[in-house]
Amino acid sequence: MPPLTLPPVRFPEVLPDGFAAPGTGETGEELDHFAHTSTRLLLGTDGLTTPLLEAWVGSVVSVRRMSHRLVLACDAPGGAAGLLEVAPDEVLLERRSVLASSNGSDLSRNVVVARPSLCAAAEQCLTDPSAPIGRMLQAAGTGQRRTIVEVGLHTWGGEPAAYKTYLLWHGDQPLATITELFNPQIVPADLRAPLALAGRS
């Protein structure tokens, strides 16, 4: 029987410090590439990621590192401005963070690009390093609705790693894009069949 051939999983744009940026691909076929049921569940859920990570590692998950800055939409991570439906000169807030377990293991690297002008409470959450962003936004009364935009493979320390990108909504307006890249030592990125990593030089 000839080996199973799967279409390549696209990489998101590479950003400094190993972060991934939003893409705009379909998610269904890419999600099915992943061999582990738990990985598919984590990537496919449109709910809060943090409780799933806490159940996975059996500990509280906290923000280990966080930085934020204001950027023009034209200078934001690739794809964010289009997903947020903003003009090139609109000011966005870019937040980068690393979530870790209670034993200090890094679990995910995250990039959030948001429209702070939509919601003052959301802007306060985005600049607060005290907790994962999803829980803070829900407590502030926004960001409950999520739409998964893309799942796929990127790299973490030279190893294939799973990521997902989704939109958070404020009412019927897109509030933020979030890309989460998961540590492959924690979240297996194995595929159902051999697959060359796309986008590598």
Side-chain angles (χ1 to χ4, degrees), residues 18 31 49 82 95 102 104 129 135 137-138 141 143 148 159 173 181 201:
L31 189 61
T49 301
R95 168 187 167 120
S102 59
R135 284 180 169 162
L137 288 173
Q138 282 205 336
I148 299 173
E159 296 183 44
Q173 294 183 289
L181 177 68
S201 57

Side-chain angles (χ1 to χ4, degrees), residues 84 92 113-119 122-123 126 137 142-143 167-170 173-177:
L84 294 174
L92 304 177
V113 181
R115 302 173 64 188
S117 59
L118 279 186
C119 176
E123 181 177 7
L126 289 159
L137 288 173
T142 190
L167 269 174
L168 289 182
W169 297 83
H170 179 66
Q173 294 183 289
L175 170 66
T177 68

Side-chain angles (χ1 to χ4, degrees), residues 1 4 6 11 22 29 33-34 38 48 50 54 70 79 81 83 86 88 95 118 125 128 136-137 166 191 199:
M1 176 181 294
L4 179 63
L6 296 176
F11 274 33
E29 290 185 5
H33 291 168
F34 290 91
S38 297
L48 287 176
T50 302
E54 288 178 334
L70 295 176
L83 290 171
V86 295
R95 168 187 167 120
L118 279 186
C125 295
D128 185 345
M136 287 194 294
L137 288 173
Y166 51 92
L191 301 170

Side-chain angles (χ1 to χ4, degrees), residues 29-88:
E29 290 185 5
E30 285 85 351
L31 189 61
D32 287 341
H33 291 168
F34 290 91
H36 291 262
T37 302
S38 297
T39 301
R40 295 197 301 272
L41 175 65
L42 182 66
L43 296 178
T45 183
D46 59 1
L48 287 176
T49 301
T50 302
L52 291 176
L53 284 176
E54 288 178 334
W56 196 310
V57 298
S59 79
V60 172
V61 169
S62 60
V63 178
R64 184 172 186 179
R65 297 185 294 278
M66 192 278 278
S67 64
H68 63 87
R69 63 176 184 153
L70 295 176
V71 297
L72 291 176
C74 59
D75 297 323
L83 290 171
L84 294 174
E85 302 175 358
V86 295

